[in-house]
Amino acid sequence: MSLTKNQVASVAYTLKNGDDEIIDQATKDSPMTFLHGVGGMIPGFEKALEGKNVGDSFNIVIEAADAYGERNDALTQDVPREMFGDVPDEQLVAGAQFQAQTDAGIEVITIVSVDGDTVKIDANHPLAGMTLHFDVELLDIRDATEEEIAHGHVHA
Ligand SMILES: [Zn+2]
């Protein structure tokens, strides 16, 4: 069976950045499952998986535009320290990530720097602007249930 829209795929993968550093992975014992072809994954990933068969192993290189998009400098801004309320100073350091409620929903923001009462934050997706390198093994394919298709996601 080769993967097509409205099927559920289970994959093991390792995601690396251009410096060969591992950013994320899912193992065979604990694979990632997703409903294929409905935009739940980044476009380059779905494109590469389309038509693949169970047992296939392959590498994918996905440019930022087909992954999490280019970085947008307008999403970097200074905000008052008090926005972080009770967060202790030792957690409010460059590189720390927080979830923030925004107009677009829950987003991850990254601390760029802290200068007294001013915190510079970056609301770009942490992987924005990055070319992503995946090693993928397609472990299993099954047809999605009607309910999963209606919901647009996999049910356990
Ligand atoms: Zn559901």
Side-chain angles (χ1 to χ4, degrees):
M1 178 143 74
S2 66
L3 186 61
T4 187
K5 185 176 175 174
N6 288 336
Q7 290 180 320
V8 174
S10 299
V11 298
Y13 71 88
T14 301
L15 167 60
K16 293 177 179 173
N17 64 18
D19 295 327
D20 218 28
E21 295 164 341
I22 294 176
I23 297 169
D24 192 15
Q25 60 191 150
T27 63
K28 278 187 179 184
D29 293 334
S30 183
M32 174 182 71
T33 60
F34 65 97
L35 180 59
H36 181 69
V38 298
M41 305 297 293
I42 55 175
F45 193 86
E46 292 210 341
K47 230 180 280 176
L49 270 283
E50 177 71 25
K52 290 289 195 294
N53 295 286
V54 171
D56 285 353
S57 290
F58 45 94
N59 302 309
I60 320 171
V61 178
I62 305 174
E63 302 294 332
D66 253 353
Y68 291 95
E70 303 294 347
R71 283 186 48 80
N72 178 357
D73 288 339
L75 294 177
T76 299
Q77 57 176 308
D78 291 333
V79 300
R81 167 70 172 86
E82 64 202 26
M83 261 190 58
F84 292 88
D86 296 337
V87 175
D89 284 344
E90 57 267 29
Q91 288 178 25
L92 211 54
V93 294
Q97 294 182 332
F98 295 86
Q99 292 196 332
Q101 182 69 50
T102 71
D103 294 344
I106 302 278
E107 291 194 342
V108 175
I109 59 163
T110 305
I111 306 296
V112 179
S113 60
V114 181
D115 182 12
D117 287 337
T118 302
V119 180
K120 188 181 286 293
I121 63 169
D122 182 354
N124 283 285
H125 188 283
L127 301 182
M130 268 193 216
T131 298
L132 305 181
H133 300 253
F134 284 92
D135 291 325
V136 182
E137 181 174 357
L138 183 49
L139 303 172
D140 188 48
I141 299 172
R142 66 166 171 84
D143 291 324
T145 65
E146 282 180 26
E147 193 181 49
E148 287 173 325
I149 293 169
H151 287 201
H153 57 232
V154 175
H155 290 170

